[in-house]
Amino acid sequence: MSGDSILLDYGSGGMASQRLIQECFFRHFENPILARMDDAARLEMRSPLAMSTDSYTVTPLFFPGGSIGTLAVHGTVNDVAMLGARPRYMSCAFIIEEGLPMDTLERVVADMGQCAREAGILIVTGDTKVVPKGACDKLFITTTGIGELIIPDGPSGHKAHPGDAILISGSMGDHGLTIMAQREELTFDTAIRSDSAPLNHMIEALMCKLTSVHVLRDPTRGGLATTLNEIAHQSDVVIEIEEEHIPVHDAVKNTCSFLGLDPLYLANEGKCLCIVPEQEAEAALHIMRATPQGHEAVRIGTVLAAEGKTKAGQVILKTPIGGKRLLGMLEGDQLPRIC
Amino acid sequence: MSGDSILLDYGSGGMASQRLIQECFFRHFENPILARMDDAARLEMRSPLAMSTDSYTVTPLFFPGGSIGTLAVHGTVNDVAMLGARPRYMSCAFIIEEGLPMDTLERVVADMGQCAREAGILIVTGDTKVVPKGACDKLFITTTGIGELIIPDGPSGHKAHPGDAILISGSMGDHGLTIMAQREELTFDTAIRSDSAPLNHMIEALMCKLTSVHVLRDPTRGGLATTLNEIAHQSDVVIEIEEEHIPVHDAVKNTCSFLGLDPLYLANEGKCLCIVPEQEAEAALHIMRATPQGHEAVRIGTVLAAEGKTKAGQVILKTPIGGKRLLGMLEGDQLPRIC
């Protein structure tokens, strides 16, 4: 099929759909559950479960460090993992614009297959719709993941306690800035690459080795600032972070400064926030730093109770010169179609 | 928010997204699991599970008998049920074109909420992406459902045995023809309506009351003819059906004849094929006819072994005057964006 373009027929549910499924999807996602081709996949799992879904509409489809395919697997694997779960199975649904080159679809599907193998998740069921030219922009993918909770009552955005340490697994802003740079056709001296990566193996190590993990959350759309605000609201606490401890690569820092962007509001696709009791902080950093996804892990702040002028739900940023300012949620959209 | 249009901000992951989630989705999908707002939903379920996903890109968004919202719930509920499972939880992901009227989205979401309640499934997690004007046509929805298998080794497309009876729960072609009529702005004397409906309660009755159900399958895209071909291939059998026993409403029959369409290739969204051992056929029809979705249920044919000139994988249509012809799979696409 290589060399062809996607035709409307490929989404018809008839012969052409069957060929696309057999020759493209099955080849890259190969596993016996998918190969049964029933209306639904039959799965063996331990309850309780975590379930998460995301649609991916990123443009361009390919960028330094990843593609819509790597995001579609990593994003959903990571969301499932953030509940303290071991991702096991994934569905994927493609909406394809008529005329998309077959080679483009195949590159994306190959990326998904490879990322799924690395994350240890099986793609077990799917769907393909082809819409007429102009009815969508090239390719959208929706993935849904399910996983088994490693402990019955795992981490949640509601569990940040005053006194807890706030850790981050690595640098902020790389994904968001990479997409923006591609979109604006900016060229830089230094390479900026998306951080698209699976976090589930690191999360599993944290869940299995630590006594307690209160919150796990990946700061994707809206960036670190928005994610911290969500947690402060859900847990009814104040969050204080120190600006100089937040890792931001020099190339990202300089480009953000040039473009007037704030890296704390840019999306990340391979990083996580981890909030643990103070006495677990060193052990958690040690575990994270031993993994490829967490080698830059650092502590960036502390969870506080509301008192005096601070109110529950607030996020306070301490600047290097000793000032404090409120860090709000993202208002408006810095950049559509980032993921 | 009513009266507004959807802005890019609503998909940003920031404040505007939160408002959309709270004021629209939570209001119609209300349940405590969704309300936790973690990255993933935490679910209690009995294994083994069934999992299925579909993207919905139907145009127009609203049509007699349903909407993209009813299809997004019914389609996925039905696919999960076809594995002999009780659908329990569903995710939904929206891709919305900037500028879509808020009232339109709200009507769709209200339809989804009502259909989910009728089917007894909870919408527990979701995602919203807004893409710039022109990057998608109004609204696409992807739902993923998971359910508990009612018996450990349930129906499958691989289980049709020679001698089995082939039953259908009702008339063919209503959904496909309704969409085509809307699209072409045809008007008819008689009303043609989509059959969009949840089949899970009927399936549960079949699974619980019969000793054995070999195959369940809903003939959606590609219609009855394509679904029967899939089953004949998967089970390595011959399928013989009698044309005069296949229920097709007169209005559908007449319009198809006028337009040169074959109702056996048109999509259905609230019907199922049920293949059972001969001795279970009467009981199965009795159970189906006692439900609102199955009151027109009839037997349409028999599963045969390949012998003489017939080959495994073939579907044979017996015509009212005694002729026989091969019924192939759908080749090409009668109508894109049907569901």
Side-chain angles (χ1 to χ4, degrees), chain A residues 267-282:
Chain A
N268 310 281
E269 293 291 342
K271 299 293 157 48
C272 80
L273 267 165
C274 175
I275 302 184
V276 293
E278 175 69 42
Q279 66 272 19
E280 301 270 18
E282 275 311 307

Side-chain angles (χ1 to χ4, degrees), chain A residues 177-188:
Chain A
L177 198 61
T178 301
I179 300 300
M180 177 162 288
Q182 288 286 305
R183 208 90 67 79
E184 305 297 325
E185 296 182 10
L186 300 175
T187 50
F188 303 109

Side-chain angles (χ1 to χ4, degrees), chain A residues 56-69:
Chain A
Y56 298 86
T57 63
V58 67
T59 183
L61 296 177
F62 303 94
F63 43 83
S67 70
I68 190 172

